[in-house]
Every structure is written in C-alpha cells, then in structure tokens.
Amino acid sequence: MTVFGLAVRTLRHRAGGFAAVFLAMVLGATILMAFASMLDIATGDVPGAARETLVIMATVVGGWGMLLVAFAVVSTLTLAVRQRAAEIALLKSVGATPAQLTRMIVGEAVALAVVSVALAVAPAALAGRGLLALLHDTGQVPADVGYAFGPIALAQGFGITLVASVAAAYITARRTTRVRVAESLVSAEVERPRMSKKRIVAGGLFLALGLDLAIVTVTAMRNAGQETMATAGQAAILASFGLAVLAPGLVRGAARLAGGVLERCGAAGDLALASLRGRTGQAASVVTPIILFTGIGTGTLYVQATENAVIARSGLAPEEGAETIETLNLVVIGMIVAFTALMLVNTLLAATAHRRREFGQLRLAGAAPGQVLGAVALEGAVLMVTGVLAGTVASVFTILPFTVARADALVPDGGPGIYAGTVAVAAALTLVTVVGATRRALRVPAVEAVAV
C-alpha cells in the first residue's frame, strides 16, 4: 500500500478522530472566503470610497482571521496527531520510516483541506452576502453594488487553507516522527515535560510585538485620534497569540498553583490534578481558544466603548471613517466570538471523546462515574480560569495604552459588564461542553469503553 493510500485508509477508519480538524478547516475556509469575496466585489463597478471600505474589510479583518484559522488548524491537527501517538509508534516499530510517516500525515491534511474548502464554498457565499448587507445597511457601500463571489475568494480560501494545513501537518509530523521507536511508545502515554525552545521563542516574539505596539500607542499615536485604534487593537491580538503559544507552560503553572485546592477535593480532585499534570498538551489545546476569545474580545469591546465615550464627551461629530472602524470592530468581535466559541466546543468534544477508554479504565479501577465527572469538571474549571486570566493579561496590552492615549485615563469606559459577560460566556462554553461530553462518554459501559 502506498503512503497516500494509507493516509486515505486512515481517514476512513478514524473519521471521528479527524472530525475536529475537519470542522476547523471548514470554518476557517468559510471565514477566509467570505471576507475575500469583498475583493471580488471591489473589482467591479464600485465608487472609490466604497471600494476602499471593501478592501479594508477584506485585508484587515480577513488578515487577522487568517491567523486565527492557522492557529485553529495547528491546534486541532496537533491534538489529533498526539492522540495517535501509540499508532504512529507501532507503525515505526514495523518498519515505517519518518519520511513515510510524514508524507502520510501531510497527505491526510491535504485530503481534508481539499474537501473542507469545497464544502465551505456555499456557507462562505452566504456569509459574504451577510457582510455586504451590513455594509449596505450602514451606508458604507451603495445599495446598488451587487454581491460577487469569484476567483479571489476561491484562490485565497483554497490556498491559505492548504498552506496552513500542510505547514501544520509537516511541523507536527516532524516533531512526532523524530523520536526513536522505544521513546515513541513511552511518549504515547507520557507527554514531554517541557516546551521546546522554538515554542518559547515564538511565544516571546508575539508578546514582544504586542508590547511594541502598546508602547507605540501610548507615544507616537497619542494624538492620532481614531487611528489610535489601529495599533492598540493589534497589540491584544499579538499578545493573545503569544500566550496561546505558551499555553503548555501556563497549564503546568496552573496545575502547580491549583494543586493544593484540588487535593482538598477528594478523589475527584486527585484525578483532575493527575490528568492536568500528565495531559499538558491536550489541555493546552483547550486553553488556546479561551485565551484568544477573552484577550481579543475583551480588548476590542473596551476600545470601542472608550472611543464612543470620548466622542460623546467631546460633543463633536465623529471623525470621517469612524462608522467604518466601528463596523470593522463589531465584525471582528462577531467573527472572534463565533469562531473561537465553535473551536472551543470542537476541541473540548474531540479531547473528551478521546478519553473514553481512560474513563473506562478509571471506572474498572474503582472510580465511581460521579468521581470521574467531578474530576473532568474540576479540570475544565482550572483550564477555564487559566485561559481567562491569560486572555485578561493579553487584553491589557490594548486596553491600558488606548485608554491612556485616547482618554488620558487609566480606567476604560464600558464598566465591568463587558468583562463579566466575556468571562461568563467562556465559563459556560467550557463547563457545559466538557460536562456534557463526559456524561455522554460515561454512558458507555466501562468494559466496552476499554475495549475500544
């Protein structure tokens, strides 16, 4: 059997394990093509100001959306490959070379990317029409400008999804296949105790870029009016990416800090602590969308609230282009909330479903279903708090510099309700999903679960 034949066969027999990756690609391609279609519209007969609005919508929002998509694909694909560590170790033990395994994993990613883009065309066209309707309603694009979904949207959707998928698959495969057979069999059950230097450097670079933009916001952009939002908004996005890259380290730190509390929660707490210490990589995949959701969402909402308050207090008419910027911010928030919420649920479902065998083993060893459910709920609570706190730190990269530069104050407008609402949504998504998925997994008899 050829390497690509093996990849296709693996996709057929492990469809459930690749569901999270596939959904991430479909959602990502939908977002990319929806915003890229604005460029297809701009190539038609569109007035100059409206064309500029369409281009800004496609490049600014679509550009950051591309990074979110890349993060989601890398996160879910890494989780899927990590869950197959034992299978890959066995393939290596029977003679499969690292190059063959790499081609197999990349082949799987290519097949998923092609199918996902094809399925995303219809929802992307609908989403693009919705974006144009929003621009029509706000008067930023004339009502007689029709919708177009053409080669630019298709090229960007397919090209970016394919490149992101192949790059993520290659990086993940290289990391997995470099380990020797004996070490692979051990690492299938025990994850690496430390982050790689490359991950630490990448996370530090994102944080440094975010800090640089925060400093620029306070200094060079202090008297720039609404343009201050450009540098301020990007600071939280970069900081969120940086902390998301460092998520494994954050999870380990959270496990140490929460250890004393969990140990007082009885058997469920002991099980939760053991899982957090031994499943750092999978836990980090859950924390990542929480960080992005909290950091980018909170930062953007407070920036827009502060900008609106500054304009209201000044008594002056909004600057030219203020409506476009506000629309962009609202679209960014909508995209982030929808995409990261779906990815959080998607990742939680995939990670929890994969643990069905583990839950069965715990029950056969004497743990009651309630203890298993309690342990998973405690894990979810620790991960939720970790992600929210990290996202809060990331949002400060935007909120504080913008408030100082634009309102000459330290406390942003908008009140505590914005932050409370963001945290409530993150907590609800995390805990409801993880508890619901665990309940479903516990319905399977323990003997059947272990035999899977």
Side-chain angles (χ1 to χ4, degrees), residues 66 352 367 372:
M66 179 180 67
T352 306
V372 176

Side-chain angles (χ1 to χ4, degrees), residues 60 64 67 204-222 224 227-241 303 394-406:
V60 176
W64 288 115
L67 286 178
L205 180 59
F206 275 118
L207 288 172
L209 291 173
L211 179 60
D212 178 66
L213 285 176
I215 294 172
V216 169
T217 300
V218 175
T219 55
M221 303 296 290
R222 186 153 190 161
E227 294 181 6
T228 308
M229 300 174 74
T231 56
Q234 295 178 46
I237 296 175
L238 290 169
S240 296
F241 286 150
V303 162
S395 70
V396 172
F397 280 64
T398 279
I399 296 171
L400 184 58
F402 182 82
T403 305
V404 170
R406 195 76 172 100

Side-chain angles (χ1 to χ4, degrees), residues 86-318:
E87 172 192 333
I88 293 173
L90 289 174
L91 288 173
K92 291 170 69 176
S93 70
V94 297
T97 65
Q100 289 174 324
L101 291 173
T102 298
R103 288 197 296 272
M104 180 190 75
I105 294 172
V106 172
E108 295 165 356
V110 170
L112 286 173
V114 171
V115 176
S116 66
V117 173
L119 292 178
V121 170
L126 291 175
R129 287 183 180 277
L131 288 174
L132 182 61
L134 175 64
L135 296 176
H136 283 163
D137 293 340
T138 56
Q140 296 170 69
V141 174
D144 59 351
V145 174
Y147 182 68
F149 187 93
I152 298 178
L154 291 172
Q156 288 200 15
F158 180 79
I160 294 173
T161 303
L162 184 63
V163 170
S165 303
V166 170
Y170 183 77
I171 293 171
T172 305
R174 290 273 293 177
R175 186 187 307 134
T176 303
T177 57
R178 277 180 177 177
V179 185
R180 288 175 295 183
V181 175
E183 295 176 353
S184 295
L185 292 170
V186 174
S187 64
E189 301 297 331
V190 181
E191 297 187 8
R192 293 183 178 182
R194 296 182 179 180
M195 291 187 295
S196 66
K197 292 181 179 180
K198 292 180 180 179
R199 177 183 283 268
I200 294 174
V201 170
L205 180 59
F206 275 118
L207 288 172
L209 291 173
L211 179 60
D212 178 66
L213 285 176
I215 294 172
V216 169
T217 300
V218 175
T219 55
M221 303 296 290
R222 186 153 190 161
N223 298 313
Q226 67 180 17
E227 294 181 6
T228 308
M229 300 174 74
T231 56
Q234 295 178 46
I237 296 175
L238 290 169
S240 296
F241 286 150
L243 291 173
V245 170
L246 300 175
L250 298 179
V251 171
R252 278 191 287 274
R256 285 194 295 268
L257 292 174
V261 176
L262 292 177
E263 288 172 352
R264 296 186 182 92
C265 296
D270 292 335
L271 292 174
L273 184 57
S275 179
L276 287 171
R277 289 172 174 170
R279 303 171 68 88
T280 304
Q282 294 191 32
S285 298
V286 174
V287 170
T288 294
I290 302 176
I291 295 174
L292 297 176
F293 174 81
T294 307
I296 304 175
T298 304
T300 308
L301 284 173
Y302 272 114
V303 162
Q304 189 60 58
T306 301
E307 176 68 16
N308 292 342
V310 168
I311 294 174
R313 285 193 293 265
S314 69
L316 301 175

